[in-house]
Amino acid sequence: MSRIYEKIVSEMDQIKKRIPLAKTFTIPLIVIGGIIFYGLFYLLHLTLIANVIILSAILLGSYEMLKETVISLTKKQFGLDYIAIIAIIVAIITGEFLVGAILAFMVSTGRALEDYGVSQAKKSLTALIDRIPTDATLWRHDKPDGKEKLDKVTVGTEIFIFKGEVIGLDGILISENAQTDESSLTGEPYFIDKVKGDIIRSGTINIGQPIVIKVTKAEKDSTYNKIIDMVKSAEEEKSPFVRLADRYSTVFTLITFGISIFTYIYSNFDLSRVLAVLAVATPCPLIIATPIALLGGVNASAKRKIIVKKLAALEILSRVNTILFDKTGTITLGIPQLAHLLIEDKKYTQTQVLSIAEALERNSLHPLAKAIVSQARAVNARIQTAQNVRETIGSGISGLVEKNEYTLSKVKETMGMTIELTHKEKKIALFQFEDEIKEESKETITHLIEKGLELRILTGDKREAAQRVLEQLGSEVKIHAECSPEDKQKEIEDLKRQGKITAMVGDGINDAPALALADVGMAFTNQEQTAASEAADIVFLGGNFSMVLQSLKIAQHTISIAKQSILWGIGLSIVAMGFASVGFIPPILGAGLQEAIDVAVIINALRASR
């Protein structure tokens, strides 16, 4: 088990240990027990013992808050707990020990709710870690040979993967064939057939017979570990909305102190009335609810195979007004598809041509070869075997099919992707390929336009190819063709100078500079960690273009809930302080009302996870 994995698992274990209610609320339960015993000893007229018990309960319930406040003061940072601290001090000065204990109970309960709420919000993220194995079965002398921890397995080692097992390390398939489920990485619910020599990625599942693979990457560099790193980064990133909450808290604290001073003077210096105001004032919506809402947004994204690497991205994405897209692999499939088959020699039918071409191309790894094989099988062309196959990279492939020599080669004088099939230098057929747009691209683009967003496509393709894509998407999308990585950067820089809040969506290494420069970078990836996903703030596991719209909706929904939590919590507290200042709310009732507001705001924040 790698050090990264051990650290994350340790952190998650600590979170899980706090989930059971009895453990989560240990301190609040002790404080409430102290309040009960205080009442019993007070009724028995054992006042000294009763006061010692209640003061101990106050200290225990407020200890963590006091410690964090002292630390923030030493760092010259503004804290959120000044109101609660002053309220507890005033309660002790005025002899309102019961009110002080109730306030300490509220503080400790709020912290326990934060622990519980955060742990609930992280559930789907911990599932990414929980499913990966911690060790591998070694393969020696044609048989399994014991277990070894993943981080102890070296590159070049052959390991055995059982049927149904999650593959823990990246490697090359040694067995003749295999079948894997790659949905955990790609988001696509398809089973993939593999043959000897194919790449096998960690995090996928072996759904066929047991297989042997040769490890090509150490555990710390594996595909799945990179995804875990993204999750860890998202969890550790401090939310900008917490910093925004700090600014809200300054105003709220000043309002609270202003009302307290007014109350002190208005009530003829009655500290009990001031205590009621301070008791009902609550910074809980600021210090608890907003982080829970934002983590809930991360959780909701993870359920849809959307990894938010930085929580800051959620807040910025909710305000984006301009989105820029790469074309190939983002809006389009990024995989050549056979668009036209033109028969030059009329002695051949389309099915015969596809049968011959498929016999040759089954031996090639070229993307165009895959397109021909796929089309041949789609029309049930006769499966034939090619002999003496010779492939020249960048030129073509030749071989004997039914004792006749055929060649598939690139047509240099044509634009785009075109190859020809020849026999004894005589043209038989032309194959023309295009990169098709994804099924969901047009609908997603339409919804984004309806939201009032400005959309632009930045592509390195020729203008003709770009124009064909634009015709399918609609004229409201602006397109810039033949863009270099530098051109894409310049376009984003110009938009930002105009005051636009930008999001860049791409999938390749040529998009990495633009992804890093945009206010929010969003990358599609079906591969192990690429330059694009390194530079992006949000990574889509899979190629479904609708994920762009989903992530935008999640961000807007999350920030809306976070704002509700802040404004409603502060608003309710200010109204309650007004009633307390004129004597309608006594200190004990104020403390109870504070907790009611806190719980309501936290419950509202938890909605972001759904």
Side-chain angles (χ1 to χ4, degrees), residues 279-351:
V280 82
T282 170
C284 188
L286 302 171
I287 62 176
I288 294 177
T290 49
I292 290 175
L294 289 168
L295 280 168
V298 173
N299 176 53
S301 300
K303 291 176 182 176
R304 293 161 178 79
K305 307 291 184 183
I306 300 169
I307 301 298
V308 181
K309 292 169 61 180
K310 298 179 181 179
L311 291 182
L314 284 177
E315 195 274 337
I316 299 171
L317 183 59
S318 70
R319 298 186 289 111
V320 159
N321 50 35
T322 305
I323 304 182
L324 304 101
F325 302 96
D326 172 52
K327 179 181 76 67
T328 305
T330 302
I331 292 175
T332 66
L333 293 170
I335 302 172
Q337 305 288 318
L338 181 60
H340 304 287
L341 174 55
L342 306 176
I343 304 298
E344 299 278 341
D345 189 337
K346 301 304 179 183
K347 291 188 298 185
Y348 293 86
T349 66
Q350 285 197 352
T351 304

Side-chain angles (χ1 to χ4, degrees), residues 113-264:
L113 281 171
E114 178 181 12
D115 287 343
Y116 185 72
V118 168
S119 66
Q120 291 298 101
K122 289 181 179 178
K123 269 189 174 180
S124 72
L125 299 182
T126 61
L128 286 171
I129 296 165
D130 291 341
R131 70 187 294 275
I132 198 165
T134 59
D135 49 32
T137 302
L138 302 181
W139 183 255
R140 296 279 191 273
H141 308 297
D142 297 331
K143 65 178 181 179
D145 187 31
K147 295 275 189 179
E148 185 64 84
K149 291 295 183 183
L150 288 186
D151 66 329
K152 300 296 183 183
V153 178
T154 58
V155 173
T157 302
E158 294 183 3
I159 61 174
F160 186 77
I161 311 296
F162 293 95
K163 182 176 182 178
E165 184 178 2
V166 176
I167 300 168
L169 296 165
D170 292 2
I172 297 293
L173 183 63
I174 300 299
S175 303
E176 290 301 319
N177 50 64
Q179 193 175 46
T180 60
D181 176 0
E182 300 193 352
S183 60
S184 62
L185 297 185
T186 67
E188 303 296 336
Y190 303 128
F191 299 152
I192 309 298
D193 291 318
K194 302 281 187 178
V195 297
K196 187 174 183 178
D198 282 353
I199 294 172
I200 303 293
R201 293 186 175 88
S202 61
T204 61
I205 302 172
N206 176 29
I207 59 174
Q209 296 304 310
I211 58 173
V212 178
I213 69 171
K214 180 182 285 187
V215 176
T216 57
K217 289 184 180 180
E219 192 263 349
K220 63 183 178 63
D221 299 320
S222 68
T223 302
Y224 210 69
N225 224 22
K226 295 296 184 183
I227 296 173
I228 292 174
D229 287 347
M230 291 182 197
V231 175
K232 184 172 183 290
S233 175
E235 291 172 346
E236 290 182 344
E237 177 74 12
K238 185 182 179 184
S239 159
F241 229 73
V242 172
R243 293 190 286 273
L244 178 61
D246 290 341
R247 294 196 292 272
Y248 272 109
S249 74
T250 302
V251 175
F252 178 65
T253 301
L254 291 175
I255 290 173
T256 301
F257 288 162
I259 294 175
S260 298
I261 292 169
F262 165 80
T263 303
Y264 186 59

Side-chain angles (χ1 to χ4, degrees), residues 453-505:
L453 295 166
E454 180 181 344
L455 306 182
R456 301 189 181 199
I457 297 174
L458 310 179
T459 177
D461 277 359
K462 298 293 183 182
R463 187 166 301 278
E464 294 82 3
Q467 191 62 37
R468 284 196 295 271
V469 171
L470 184 60
E471 289 170 0
Q472 299 177 66
L473 296 176
S475 59
E476 294 183 61
V477 181
K478 297 179 181 179
I479 194 161
H480 300 266
E482 301 178 40
C483 288
S484 66
E486 292 78 11
D487 293 332
K488 293 180 180 182
Q489 274 192 305
K490 186 176 182 301
E491 181 72 17
I492 293 173
E493 287 172 352
D494 290 343
L495 288 169
K496 292 176 79 170
R497 276 194 292 268
Q498 297 170 28
K500 303 285 189 180
I501 303 173
T502 61
M504 174 69 195
V505 186

Side-chain angles (χ1 to χ4, degrees), residues 494-565:
D494 290 343
L495 288 169
K496 292 176 79 170
R497 276 194 292 268
Q498 297 170 28
K500 303 285 189 180
I501 303 173
T502 61
M504 174 69 195
V505 186
D507 77 318
I509 189 169
N510 63 318
D511 299 319
L515 289 167
L517 181 63
D519 294 304
V520 181
M522 308 166 78
F524 288 95
T525 177
N526 291 321
Q527 308 295 327
E528 59 266 33
Q529 190 80 339
T530 63
S533 57
E534 285 279 8
D537 304 302
I538 298 173
V539 176
F540 304 122
L541 300 183
N544 194 315
F545 189 66
S546 65
M547 287 179 172
V548 177
L549 181 61
Q550 290 176 21
S551 61
L552 183 67
K553 287 181 176 179
I554 289 170
Q556 291 174 340
H557 178 65
T558 299
I559 300 308
S560 173
I561 288 175
K563 287 181 178 179
Q564 287 175 13
S565 298

